[in-house]
Amino acid sequence: MKQFTDFMSLKETADMPFRCDVIVRSTMEFATNLLYEEQVLSAKELGEYRSQVTKLVEAIIKPIKKRVEANRLGLPSPKISAARQLLSEISTNVGNMPNDKDHRLFVTDYYADLDLESDDDFKIIHLKMWQLNTRRELEKLGNPVPADPTRFIYLIGAVNLNTIVFSYPILSKPFLMTRAHDVFKFSQLGSLVAQSLIRVLASSSPDNCFVNAVKTLDDLDIFVKEQADCNTKISDYHAYPVVLNLVHEAYFSPESGFDQSQPAFTNMSVKQLFYVHAAQTVAGNFHIAKIPDFAEVFNCSSSS
């Protein structure tokens, strides 16, 4: 059924239309995740997702750690130590489902006290679902950070400070093709992973921020908003050259272990393919030319 109707119209956003399938997807996230696992994914596909995203995250953490340790902003040692510790504790979660519990049992327990009556109309059901979700979140207050997932409305991002969550929509084609050449996994999904890791890094100390985290990682001085500070509001595309440079190093470093062979389906080199695919799929692609390697790969002159 077209991948569960494109997994019920992907994820919730602020301007999402009030459609029944979207509301169900939003308010009953864990139930729909379980249906997607059991009716669309195979155990083999789920295993490939987990294996590949874990390797992707681990690879991108390496150049981030290297730049943190270089400490180009001259931050105090305790802040560098805190950042290193946080990065060393990064974990991944596929599908926003428990890593250590039976998923069907988790979902059954989560909705166990959902009190629906046969004559409830859609509005009443919707209200009861939000009440249940709110109740589940309130139950966590005052307790240690739980292992169980919390509702997650984004495609990819960090929760509980150091867990990178990959929703099932972000792992579907074209974002991740498990059997495709590795260059495609880094040039698109890799950039989203790097952005999430930068936000984790920004949370490593109370006075850190996204801008300072980007500057810490900008060893090539290519940040689009060089004069920005923690009071400056910037969007992800301003930091995109730094993000892509990190991903490029993670993939093309000699010890990465990823497939860097020349694809048979194109005359472009692997490095050219990396940048072309990134430019086609990621916002902020017009800043790619700031990366020195880009100019070298495409033989651009200094005046281009």
Side-chain angles (χ1 to χ4, degrees):
M1 196 173 64
K2 200 175 181 293
Q3 290 292 87
F4 197 26
T5 312
D6 291 333
F7 198 36
M8 303 176 72
S9 299
L10 301 181
K11 303 292 285 185
E12 175 186 21
T13 61
D15 58 349
M16 186 68 76
F18 291 99
R19 289 171 38 185
C20 177
D21 59 339
V22 175
I23 292 174
V24 172
R25 172 77 182 96
S26 171
T27 57
M28 299 194 70
E29 178 186 356
F30 301 120
T32 57
N33 284 346
L34 181 66
L35 283 173
Y36 189 77
E37 286 184 359
E38 294 184 345
Q39 302 300 319
V40 177
L41 292 179
S42 66
K44 183 177 181 180
E45 287 175 311
L46 187 55
E48 288 177 340
Y49 282 166
R50 288 172 174 163
S51 173
Q52 294 200 17
V53 300
T54 298
K55 291 178 181 178
L56 187 66
V57 171
E58 290 174 349
I60 297 173
I61 285 176
K62 290 179 181 178
I64 292 178
K65 275 188 173 180
K66 184 173 74 173
R67 287 159 175 77
V68 166
E69 291 166 356
N71 193 13
R72 68 189 305 270
L73 296 187
L75 300 177
S77 295
K79 291 186 178 181
I80 297 300
S81 298
R84 291 177 59 188
Q85 181 66 26
L86 189 59
L87 290 169
S88 69
E89 296 174 350
I90 293 291
S91 62
T92 58
N93 178 287
V94 170
N96 199 29
M97 296 289 272
N99 287 328
D100 58 351
K101 288 184 179 180
D102 178 86
H103 291 181
R104 176 160 282 275
L105 181 60
F106 164 72
V107 171
T108 300
D109 289 344
Y110 186 92
Y111 298 105
D113 58 347
L114 178 59
D115 182 23
L116 298 180
E117 303 292 343
S118 59
D119 59 347
D120 285 344
D121 61 20
F122 183 77
K123 292 181 180 179
I124 294 297
I125 295 173
H126 192 193
L127 176 61
K128 287 183 175 181
M129 283 309 312
W130 278 112
Q131 288 175 329
L132 173 71
N133 290 325
T134 301
R135 187 160 65 248
R136 291 289 179 262
E137 292 303 306
L138 291 175
E139 289 169 356
K140 298 177 181 180
L141 294 179
N143 297 319
V145 176
D148 288 347
T150 189
R151 291 182 64 251
F152 186 74
I153 66 171
Y154 305 104
L155 290 171
I156 182 174
V159 300
N160 297 337
L161 293 181
N162 63 352
T163 300
I164 306 298
V165 175
F166 295 78
S167 68
Y168 282 130
I170 200 63
L171 297 177
S172 60
K173 298 177 182 178
F175 292 104
L176 177 65
M177 295 176 282
T178 57
R179 308 299 174 85
H181 195 288
D182 286 340
V183 68
F184 296 115
K185 300 165 189 175
F186 278 84
S187 56
Q188 182 170 24
L189 185 58
S191 297
L192 298 177
V193 169
Q195 288 171 357
S196 297
L197 289 171
I198 292 174
R199 296 197 181 282
V200 169
L201 183 61
S203 68
S204 61
S205 67
D207 58 346
N208 213 338
C209 65
F210 183 72
V211 170
N212 283 345
V214 172
K215 289 182 176 180
T216 296
L217 304 176
D218 184 20
D219 61 332
L220 298 179
D221 291 319
I222 52 177
F223 183 34
V224 176
K225 292 282 187 178
E226 295 90 347
Q227 303 305 315
D229 57 28
C230 286
N231 296 317
T232 307
K233 291 184 179 181
I234 65 168
S235 56
D236 288 337
Y237 78 85
H238 288 122
Y240 185 60
V242 178
V243 168
L244 195 62
N245 185 52
L246 290 168
V247 176
H248 180 277
E249 181 175 327
Y251 174 49
F252 286 107
S253 63
E255 67 276 7
S256 76
F258 290 92
D259 182 12
Q260 300 173 24
S261 63
Q262 174 62 38
F265 55 80
T266 179
N267 292 324
M268 284 190 290
S269 69
V270 178
K271 283 197 172 185
Q272 289 175 330
L273 192 60
F274 173 86
Y275 287 117
V276 168
H277 190 246
Q280 291 174 335
T281 57
V282 180
N285 56 63
F286 47 87
H287 293 308
I288 292 178
K290 286 182 168 288
I291 302 174
D293 182 74
F294 175 89
E296 180 180 341
V297 166
F298 289 98
N299 297 316
C300 300
S301 67
S302 58
S303 59
S304 297

